[in-house]
């Protein structure tokens, strides 16, 4: 690797290698690069949490006994620990526990008071009582005073009704879906909704004047016009320091339109950090002029006429930022801060908080009240007294007090291991920068980029970028590699990353240039959020994201880069590095010693990394619009420079490009020709009785309504209903089934161990006595009969998994695939994933073997490769991959509808005879068959659609096969 890239490897201030050894042994052999979704929990945190649970007697905090009081004190101590983590106090912020950042956002959206007071009712002692709730809320100055007001309809206590117009909700476009969800509630409340693109926000705030608030403690706030408005300073007494939110100055609370600006501290798509300076700028009215534009929900905006009565508040979505970066709330003071704890230290999930600035309390006007949130409630009339502290009002029901206990141990463990969030921020930034700059420098042998990177700018800085690198890979002809293909290949390297739009449609659509028209076109083409349809018309629908955590190392980054080099670079790798001269000043290289002919560098884990020798050659290429003079050089690895002349001069003749999908590497020249009509024959019939276990070949077999009789009629599930497959447990390939039709039994064997048998058809008299179990197949909930404890124990012993069950299918499933000609066919399915039959074509298998050998990878026999693809019907004759054009097929009296190609996953890499995983044939599929890596075609029997009484039909080996193309012409006939 070039020295310029090596220089980007900056040693962390803590020992990552020791942390991995001591805390994350379970990750050995795995490369986890999805920390932005959820980071990993450490062994120490779990041990400390478990130890405290084992030594403590804890009860429901709503009770009044000793265990209850212990839980209450524990919760309050954790609340204080959270405030300390964010460098603030209870005088400045309150902590509301939530199920996560999404619920925190929802709380603000549901309860934000968009106007000063839509209907302000003045109760006793001049308290302002919001009357837009269904209940009459009785408030008092002190918790011990119970001073009930009368209904406003009587007029006895009503002093004034103040009308005010709603304010505005402004969100940065590049925000999480959970933020976009806020706009519907804002719209329902009458607020005007504005979408602000990130780049436009940068321009606005660069022009806006910036004013710092003075003083260590905020005892005043500035309205939208720069006027200071007085508020009561919070009391220091523990009981009264969180004062009643309704005792606010009337002039500052009424006749105002409250505006909320929401942006992300760190974009979960690109990793760009939103400037924290925006907080005070917005609070000082920097967005007033922006509201003169038309909102997205109302083209007749009232904001254009008047902005003098606006008061601005800021919600900083810190779920991504706080995961790896410090957030100092004594310096930056947003009004609302959602946080998710599992993103910081992994455990527990389903727990977060909403930090609310005390000066913004009056903005949350709660309607619903659950258990524990009121001081008094009258069940006979609409009267209640809410609790005075904000978090007590919003934490409905019993808090997850046992999970809250783990938060303190999580924060303490992270600090103990790393020295604090500042050290983590530096480490993950350097990891991300190294990965980003390497990918941006990679070139195919023809000089074209290997990756398109999605970041806001090349000038990377720890204050502008975080732990995320987002990209799409490109073929040497400039076409995109689908993200699903990258994800499948990554799985072969045990690399775990995230693909798609990452629940951030704004950033995805911005960076991928997806217009409104293209978005609708992709949806009409069948693409929806979370699916694997990665390309539509050759353009990406999402991207690939890798993200780092405090326990990540340069080994992780280098493994990702190795995977890209080995699987997605066409020809010898070239490095284009001159663009980095315009980037940040690179750190000094850390040399720990040099041997003859090699440099040594710590990789950030305490390991010495040995770098590939590189050869420098002169070249003049135009890459991404950057011109290089003849004196500048490009770097290529010394992976046989002789290939430059021999291989790439003939590249065009070697590339075979399908009309629908671009290949990622050269194919064999001249072997994909359109042959004349050839004789096709059925050569193999393979039955797989137990889902994901081995199959066996037969010479003749009956057909049922669901396909081959007894095919995938059983599957192995855990006691909790999890379906086991070879993806989870490759050893399942060693379980060999055999069906004895005369005896009516299914027998399972495993590597010479004593076998076990179950009946093919359970006796009717015993079915009521057999227990029912279930699992999932491709999202479908499936119920079936538990075949008994004997076979379950046998499976647990053979596979080394506890409490396994063999389930026989009871309920039928309906197919989801559709035909190009007939649309949705709704055929009946067994426990197969997608179709009744999977048809394999032997010429295509032979073609793939040649490709694997040509690439110099491991050799496979035809029969072994055939069994890896787990087809039911195997046909020989004709040209390789001609099955891609088939629309239907006939074998004797049976007619089959072809339902499209089969997308392949890492199961094809399991060696049937050993249960071991290899990287082939998936790597070659990726290189030769496009992003979907299709191999073989799905099919269904047409008669299964037309009849519920299946006639006695069967298949037999040696039968002639007739296939038809989409033009309904006979392709071949014997």
């Amino acid at each position: 690797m070039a020295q310029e890239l090596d220089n980007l490897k900056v040693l962390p201030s803590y020992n990552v290698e020791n942390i991995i050894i001591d805390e994350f042994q379970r990750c050995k052999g795995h490369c986890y690069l999805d920390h932005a979704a959820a980071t990993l929990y450490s062994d120490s945190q779990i041990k400390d949490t478990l130890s405290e649970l084992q030594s403590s007697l804890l009860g429901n905090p709503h009770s009044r006994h000793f265990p209850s009081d212990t839980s209450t004190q524990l919760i309050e101590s954790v609340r204080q620990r959270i405030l300390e983590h964010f460098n603030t106090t209870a005088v400045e912020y309150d902590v509301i526990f939530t199920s996560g950042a999404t619920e925190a956002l929802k709380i603000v959206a549901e309860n934000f008071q968009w106007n000063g007071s839509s209907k302000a009712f003045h109760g006793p002692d001049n308290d302002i009582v919001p009357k837009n709730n269904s209940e009459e809320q009785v408030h008092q100055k002190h918790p011990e005073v119970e001073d009930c007001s009368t209904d406003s309809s009587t007029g006895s206590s009503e002093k004034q009704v103040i009308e005010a117009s709603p304010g505005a909700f402004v969100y940065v476009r590049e925000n999480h879906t959970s933020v976009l969800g806020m706009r519907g509630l804002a719209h329902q409340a009458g607020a005007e909704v504005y979408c602000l693109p990130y780049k436009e926000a940068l321009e606005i705030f660069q022009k806006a004047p910036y004013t710092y608030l003075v003083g260590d403690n905020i005892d005043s706030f500035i309205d939208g016009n720069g006027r200071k408005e007085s508020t009561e300073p919070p009391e220091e007494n523990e009981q009264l320091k969180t004062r009643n939110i309704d005792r606010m100055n009337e002039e500052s609370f009424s006749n105002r339109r409250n505006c909320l600006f929401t942006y992300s501290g760190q974009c979960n798509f690109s990793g760009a950090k939103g400037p924290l300076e925006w907080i005070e700028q917005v609070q000082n009215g920097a967005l007033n002029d922006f509201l003169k534009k038309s909102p997205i929900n109302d083209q007749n905006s009232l904001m254009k006429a008047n902005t003098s009565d606006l008061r601005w508040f800021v919600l900083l979505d810190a779920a991504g930022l706080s995961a790896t970066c410090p957030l100092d709330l004594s310096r930056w003071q947003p009004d609302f801060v959602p946080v998710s704890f599992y993103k910081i230290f992994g455990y527990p999930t389903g727990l977060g908080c909403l930090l609310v600035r005390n000066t913004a309390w009056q903005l949350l006007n709660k309607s619903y009240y659950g258990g524990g949130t009121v001081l008094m409630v009258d069940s006979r009339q609409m009267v209640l007294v809410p609790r005075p502290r904000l978090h007590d009002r919003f934490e409905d029901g019993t808090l997850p007090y046992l999970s809250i206990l783990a938060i303190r141990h999580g924060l303490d463990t992270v600090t103990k291991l790393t020295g604090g969030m500042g050290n983590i921020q530096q480490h993950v930034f350097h990891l991300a920068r190294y990965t980003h700059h390497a990918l941006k420098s990679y070139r195919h042998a023809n000089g074209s980029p290997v990756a398109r990177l999605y970041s806001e700018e090349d000038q990377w800085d720890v204050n502008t970028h975080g732990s995320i690198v987002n990209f799409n890979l490109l073929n040497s002809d400039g076409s995109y590699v689908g993200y699903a293909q990258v994800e499948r290949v990554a799985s072969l390297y045990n690399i775990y990353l995230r693909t798609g739009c990452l629940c951030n449609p704004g950033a995805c659509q911005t960076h991928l240039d997806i217009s409104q028209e293209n978005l609708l076109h992709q949806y009409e083409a069948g693409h929806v959020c979370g699916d694997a349809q990665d390309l539509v018309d050759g353009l990406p629908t999402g991207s690939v994201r890798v993200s780092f955590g405090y326990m990540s190392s340069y080994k992780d980054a280098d493994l990702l880069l190795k995977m890209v080099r080995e699987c997605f670079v066409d020809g010898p790798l070239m490095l284009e590095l001159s663009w980095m001269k315009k980037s940040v000043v690179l750190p000094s290289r850390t040399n720990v010693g040099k041997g003859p002919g090699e440099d040594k560098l710590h990789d950030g884990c305490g390991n010495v990394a040995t770098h590939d020798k590189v050869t420098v050659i002169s070249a003049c290429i135009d890459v991404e619009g950057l011109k290089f003079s003849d004196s500048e050089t490009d770097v290529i690895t010394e992976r046989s420079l002789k290939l430059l002349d021999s291989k790439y001069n003939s590249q065009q003749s070697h590339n075979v490009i399908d009309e629908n999908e671009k290949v990622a590497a050269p194919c064999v020249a001249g072997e994909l020709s359109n042959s004349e009509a050839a004789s096709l024959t059925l050569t193999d019939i393979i039955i797989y009785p137990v889902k994901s276990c081995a199959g066996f070949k037969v010479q003749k077999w009956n057909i049922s309504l669901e396909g081959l009789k007894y095919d995938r009629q059983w599957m192995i599930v855990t006691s909790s209903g999890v379906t086991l497959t070879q993806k989870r447990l490759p050893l399942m390939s060693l379980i060999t089934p055999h069906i004895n039709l005369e005896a009516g039994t299914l027998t399972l064997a495993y590597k010479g161990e004593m076998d076990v048998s179950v009946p093919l058809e359970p006796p009717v008299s015993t079915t009521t006595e057999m227990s029912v179990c279930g699992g999932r197949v491709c999202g479908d909930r499936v119920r079936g009969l538990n075949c008994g404890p004997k076979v379950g124990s046998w499976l647990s012993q053979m596979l080394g998994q506890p409490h396994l069950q063999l389930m026989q299918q009871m309920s039928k499933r309906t197919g989801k695939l559709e035909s190009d000609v007939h649309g949705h066919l709704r055929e009946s399915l067994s426990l197969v994933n997608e179709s009744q039959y999977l048809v394999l074509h032997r010429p295509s298998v032979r073609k793939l073997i040649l490709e694997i050998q040509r690439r110099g990878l491991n050799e496979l026999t035809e029969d072994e490769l055939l069994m890896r693809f787990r087809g039911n019907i195997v046909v020989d004759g004709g040209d390789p991959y001609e099955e891609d054009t088939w629309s239907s097929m006939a074998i004797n009296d049976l007619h089959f509808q072809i339902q499209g190609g089969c997308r392949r996953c890492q199961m094809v890499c399991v060696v049937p005879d050993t249960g071991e995983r290899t990287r082939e044939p998936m790597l070659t599929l990726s290189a030769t068959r496009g992003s979907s890596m299709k191999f073989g075609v799905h099919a269904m029997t047409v008669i299964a659609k037309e009849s519920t009484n299946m006639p006695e039909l069967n298949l037999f080996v040696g039968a002639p096969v007739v296939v038809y193309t989409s033009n309904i012409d006979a392709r071949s006939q014997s």
Side-chain angles (χ1 to χ4, degrees):
M1 193 63 66
Q3 179 176 337
E4 288 85 348
L5 293 179
D6 281 342
N7 284 343
L8 296 175
K9 291 184 174 181
V10 179
L11 298 178
S13 58
Y14 56 92
N15 196 313
V16 177
E17 183 181 25
N18 285 350
I19 291 176
I20 295 173
I21 294 173
D22 296 340
E23 303 286 345
F24 298 96
Q25 276 294 319
R26 65 188 183 277
C27 299
K28 186 177 181 179
H30 301 275
C31 181
Y32 186 84
L33 294 178
D34 194 21
H35 294 273
T39 197
L40 304 175
Y41 54 81
S42 65
D43 290 350
S44 291
Q45 181 198 358
I46 301 303
K47 291 177 182 177
D48 292 345
T49 301
L50 181 60
S51 177
E52 184 169 1
L53 288 172
Q54 290 174 326
S55 62
S56 302
L57 182 61
L58 303 174
N60 192 315
H62 290 167
S63 300
R64 293 175 56 84
H65 45 61
F66 171 76
S68 169
D69 183 61
T70 303
S71 296
T72 299
Q73 293 186 40
L74 183 150
I75 291 171
E76 293 310 311
S77 69
V78 173
R79 211 184 300 270
Q80 180 61 33
R81 181 67 179 86
I82 293 169
L83 293 171
E84 292 173 358
H85 179 77
F86 291 104
N87 196 26
T88 187
T89 67
V91 175
E92 298 296 336
Y93 283 88
D94 199 0
V95 178
I96 301 172
F97 285 112
T98 66
S99 64
T102 295
E103 188 193 0
L105 292 165
K106 186 179 179 184
I107 285 175
V108 177
E110 288 179 335
N111 301 286
F112 190 84
Q113 195 168 342
W114 297 98
N115 52 4
S117 182
S118 58
K119 287 186 179 180
F121 172 77
H122 289 240
D125 304 310
N126 291 325
D127 288 341
I128 298 175
V129 183
K131 294 301 297 177
N132 56 338
N133 292 345
S134 58
E135 298 244 11
E136 177 170 331
Q137 301 176 20
V138 183
H139 301 273
Q140 63 287 330
K141 293 182 179 179
H142 302 289
E144 64 270 16
V145 178
E146 296 188 5
D147 191 356
C148 299
S149 65
T150 60
D151 192 280
S152 61
S153 62
T154 66
S156 60
S157 298
E158 185 174 357
K159 295 188 178 182
Q160 184 181 357
V161 174
I162 302 173
E163 299 290 344
S165 300
F169 175 58
V170 182
Y171 64 94
V172 172
R173 179 195 295 172
E174 293 80 356
N175 251 313
H176 196 275
T177 306
S178 300
V179 171
L180 300 189
M182 300 176 70
R183 64 188 186 184
L185 293 171
H187 172 71
Q188 290 178 6
E192 295 177 349
V193 180
Y194 295 81
C195 177
L196 176 60
Y198 179 81
K199 290 186 177 179
E200 185 177 349
L202 288 174
E203 295 175 358
I204 290 175
F205 291 119
Q206 286 173 356
K207 296 176 182 178
Y210 182 69
T211 304
Y212 288 91
L213 296 180
V214 180
D216 294 331
N217 296 318
I218 302 299
D219 58 8
S220 64
F221 56 84
I222 302 176
D223 71 1
N225 300 294
R227 295 191 300 266
K228 287 189 177 181
E229 299 179 340
S230 175
T231 66
E232 284 188 61
E235 299 88 341
E236 290 298 325
N237 181 276
E238 179 65 27
Q239 184 180 19
L240 299 178
K241 66 182 178 183
T242 50
R243 65 193 181 284
N244 192 305
I245 64 172
D246 301 304
R247 293 192 292 112
M248 301 295 294
N249 182 280
E250 178 180 339
E251 291 301 321
S252 68
F253 187 60
S254 306
N255 287 321
R256 290 299 173 87
R257 289 185 289 173
N258 296 322
C259 300
L260 181 64
F261 172 65
T262 302
Y263 76 109
S264 177
Q266 177 177 296
C267 177
N268 73 307
F269 186 90
S270 67
K273 293 182 179 179
L276 297 178
E277 291 82 0
W278 289 1
I279 297 168
E280 292 179 36
Q281 289 179 281
V282 170
Q283 291 167 341
N284 292 342
L287 290 178
N288 279 1
D289 289 341
F290 177 72
L291 297 190
K292 295 179 181 179
K293 296 184 177 183
S294 296
I296 64 174
N297 64 328
D298 184 4
Q299 298 303 313
N300 298 314
S301 171
L302 297 175
M303 295 292 182
K304 298 177 183 178
N306 179 30
T307 60
S308 63
D309 60 344
L310 304 180
R311 194 173 72 182
W312 283 93
F313 297 85
V314 176
L315 187 153
L316 176 70
D317 181 4
L321 180 69
S322 62
T324 55
C325 303
L327 176 59
D328 186 354
L329 293 183
S330 70
R331 172 64 185 87
W332 312 105
Q333 295 193 317
D335 300 285
F336 308 100
V337 185
V339 173
S340 281
F341 292 114
Y342 70 91
K343 292 183 182 292
I344 304 175
F345 40 75
Y347 177 85
T349 57
L351 185 59
C353 74
L354 174 65
L355 290 151
V356 182
R357 193 181 179 197
N358 288 341
T359 53
W361 278 13
Q362 78 277 16
L363 272 298
L364 298 182
N365 190 12
K366 193 169 185 282
S367 298
Y368 173 81
Y369 288 86
T373 61
V374 296
L375 291 175
M376 184 274 287
V377 59
D378 191 334
S379 62
R380 297 158 297 186
Q381 56 181 332
M382 303 288 283
V383 174
L384 62 86
V385 181
R387 290 192 177 274
R389 297 193 302 182
L390 185 71
H391 64 257
D392 285 334
R393 293 189 180 191
F394 279 87
E395 292 171 349
D396 296 306
T398 300
L399 286 172
Y401 55 94
L402 299 182
S403 295
I404 289 174
L405 175 148
I407 294 175
R408 185 178 73 254
H409 295 295
L411 294 173
D412 290 347
T413 300
V414 168
T415 302
K416 178 182 65 177
L417 294 176
T418 67
M421 299 303 294
N423 294 336
I424 297 174
Q425 175 180 236
Q426 291 288 335
H427 178 49
V428 298
F429 164 74
H430 288 127
L431 282 170
R433 184 180 64 171
Y434 166 70
T435 305
H436 173 276
H437 285 22
L439 288 173
K440 190 173 179 64
S441 302
Y442 280 9
R443 297 292 184 269
H444 294 285
N446 64 0
S448 63
V450 172
R452 179 183 175 187
L453 280 298
Y454 303 114
S455 59
E456 299 300 337
E457 54 187 344
D458 290 331
Q459 299 293 331
W460 273 51
D461 180 81
V462 72
N463 295 315
T464 62
H465 287 273
S467 60
I468 291 171
V469 180
N470 197 308
F471 60 94
N472 269 314
L473 296 179
L474 303 169
N475 295 309
S476 59
D477 62 359
S479 61
Y480 284 93
V481 178
Y483 60 75
Q485 180 181 0
V486 178
E487 189 171 29
R488 293 189 188 101
V489 172
S491 68
L492 301 179
Y493 288 76
N494 289 334
I495 298 174
Y496 312 116
L497 40 75
R498 181 80 175 266
T499 61
C501 264
L502 315 173
C503 295
N504 194 324
C508 185
Q509 292 156 17
T510 298
H511 287 284
L512 271 62
D513 302 321
I514 301 176
S515 65
Q516 293 178 335
E517 294 77 12
N518 287 341
L519 183 64
L520 292 176
H521 174 63
Q522 290 178 359
Y523 177 74
E524 291 169 354
H527 169 62
V528 296
C529 291
D531 69 7
Q533 190 168 351
D534 46 17
L535 298 174
V536 173
D537 298 334
L539 297 177
T541 61
S543 61
V544 180
R545 183 189 74 184
V546 296
S547 52
F548 300 96
Y550 72 85
M551 72 295 293
S552 299
S553 72
Y554 286 103
K555 282 184 178 179
D556 299 323
D558 284 332
L559 182 60
L560 173 77
L561 297 174
K562 177 183 179 182
M563 182 267 292
V564 172
R565 293 195 302 270
E566 291 182 349
C567 305
F568 297 102
V569 175
D570 195 353
L573 173 69
M574 301 181 68
L575 297 179
E576 196 290 289
L577 301 170
S578 62
W579 70 272
M580 289 173 56
K581 298 175 183 178
K582 302 177 182 179
S583 187
V584 296
V585 178
L586 301 179
S588 300
R589 185 186 181 117
T590 306
N591 288 307
V592 294
K594 287 188 177 182
E598 76 172 9
D599 295 328
K600 295 181 179 179
L601 173 70
H602 275 291
D603 68 352
C605 302
N607 300 301
V608 176
T610 302
H611 307 290
D612 297 334
K613 185 178 179 182
V614 296
T615 301
V616 181
I617 61 173
S618 297
C620 180
I621 55 176
D622 183 1
V623 181
E624 295 188 336
L626 299 177
K627 296 286 185 178
F628 308 109
S629 64
D630 292 335
S631 61
E632 292 180 311
T633 60
D634 299 303
V635 184
I636 65 172
T637 59
E638 194 175 31
R639 254 204 265 169
S640 182
L641 293 174
K642 297 178 181 180
L643 291 175
L644 284 173
D645 294 328
S646 61
K647 184 174 183 178
Y648 286 94
N649 286 339
S650 60
Q651 180 177 348
Q652 295 302 318
S653 63
H654 281 202
N655 281 337
V656 180
I657 302 176
D658 186 271
E659 292 182 358
N660 298 318
E661 298 185 22
K662 302 292 185 180
V663 299
C667 297
V668 180
E671 291 189 3
L672 283 180
S673 61
N674 292 323
S675 62
E676 299 296 329
S679 174
L680 297 182
T681 305
L682 177 61
T683 63
D684 301 271
I685 303 170
I686 309 174
I687 314 297
Y688 301 88
V690 183
K691 183 177 179 65
S692 230
C693 292
F696 65 95
K697 295 182 179 181
V698 295
Q699 293 296 308
K700 180 179 179 181
W701 203 256
N702 287 344
I703 300 298
S704 71
L705 283 171
E706 289 76 40
L708 293 172
K709 193 169 184 180
Y710 299 123
D711 184 66
R712 275 90 166 191
Q713 288 293 308
W714 292 265
M715 68 182 186
I716 302 172
V717 298
T718 67
S719 58
S720 58
V722 176
T723 302
L724 293 187
T725 68
Q726 286 186 29
K727 287 183 183 179
R728 293 174 176 266
L729 204 61
L731 288 178
M732 293 179 68
S733 66
L734 301 182
I735 294 182
T736 305
H738 176 72
I739 290 179
N740 188 325
L741 294 176
E742 294 183 359
T745 57
L746 166 68
T747 301
L748 303 181
Y750 182 87
K751 295 175 63 175
E753 298 288 340
M754 184 177 294
D755 54 24
V756 65
S757 298
V758 296
L760 292 177
E761 305 290 345
V764 177
S765 60
T766 63
T767 55
T768 57
E769 301 174 2
M770 299 179 68
S771 61
V772 176
C773 57
R776 287 191 177 273
V777 177
C778 287
D780 294 339
R781 182 67 180 171
V782 181
R783 305 292 288 174
L785 291 176
N786 184 344
C787 294
K790 181 179 179 181
V791 66
S793 298
W794 184 89
L795 288 170
S796 297
Q797 182 180 358
M798 297 303 108
L799 297 176
Q801 301 289 316
H803 312 302
L804 296 183
Q805 301 169 341
L806 183 66
M807 189 198 86
Q808 185 173 9
Q809 183 180 13
M810 290 173 53
S811 59
K812 303 305 179 184
R813 299 169 53 232
T814 302
K816 299 181 177 67
L817 295 178
E818 60 181 54
S819 163
D820 293 337
V821 178
H822 301 286
H824 285 286
L825 302 175
R826 303 299 181 188
E827 73 276 21
S828 181
L829 296 181
S830 62
L831 299 175
V832 294
N833 282 357
E834 296 181 284
S835 62
Q836 294 178 342
Y837 305 91
L838 182 58
V839 181
L840 298 179
H841 192 207
R842 279 189 177 269
S844 302
V845 176
R846 299 183 192 114
K847 168 71 174 178
L848 186 60
I849 290 175
L850 289 176
E851 290 295 339
I852 293 173
Q853 294 173 349
R854 183 177 296 276
R855 288 162 53 86
L857 303 173
N858 57 300
E859 295 186 6
L860 298 170
T861 66
E862 183 175 331
D863 285 339
E864 179 189 346
L865 188 56
L866 192 72
M867 295 304 292
R868 290 200 190 195
F869 286 115
R870 299 178 65 81
N872 300 112
I873 298 174
V874 183
V875 177
D876 201 356
D879 295 331
Y881 298 124
E882 70 169 49
E883 65 270 22
D884 294 344
T885 66
W886 296 350
S887 63
S888 59
M889 178 175 67
I891 305 177
N892 289 347
D893 296 329
L894 280 170
H895 296 273
F896 300 85
Q897 180 66 49
I898 304 299
Q899 297 172 285
C902 177
R903 291 174 176 259
R904 291 303 180 168
C905 66
Q906 60 267 35
M907 273 186 62
V908 300
C909 296
V910 176
V911 181
D913 295 335
T914 66
E916 298 174 333
R917 280 198 179 104
T918 65
R919 291 176 180 170
E920 286 297 337
M922 202 167 183
L923 292 184
T924 301
L925 280 177
S926 172
T928 60
R929 294 289 287 164
S931 63
S932 61
M933 291 183 276
K934 293 180 180 179
F935 196 89
V937 292
H938 293 291
M940 62 163 284
T941 45
V942 176
I943 195 168
K945 173 73 175 176
E946 301 170 350
S947 173
T948 58
N949 297 317
M950 173 62 68
E952 288 294 330
L953 297 174
N954 55 62
L955 291 175
F956 58 88
V957 171
V961 179
V962 179
V963 296
Y964 301 87
T965 65
S966 57
N967 295 324
I968 320 298
D969 295 328
R971 172 64 186 87
S972 59
Q973 184 173 1
S974 174

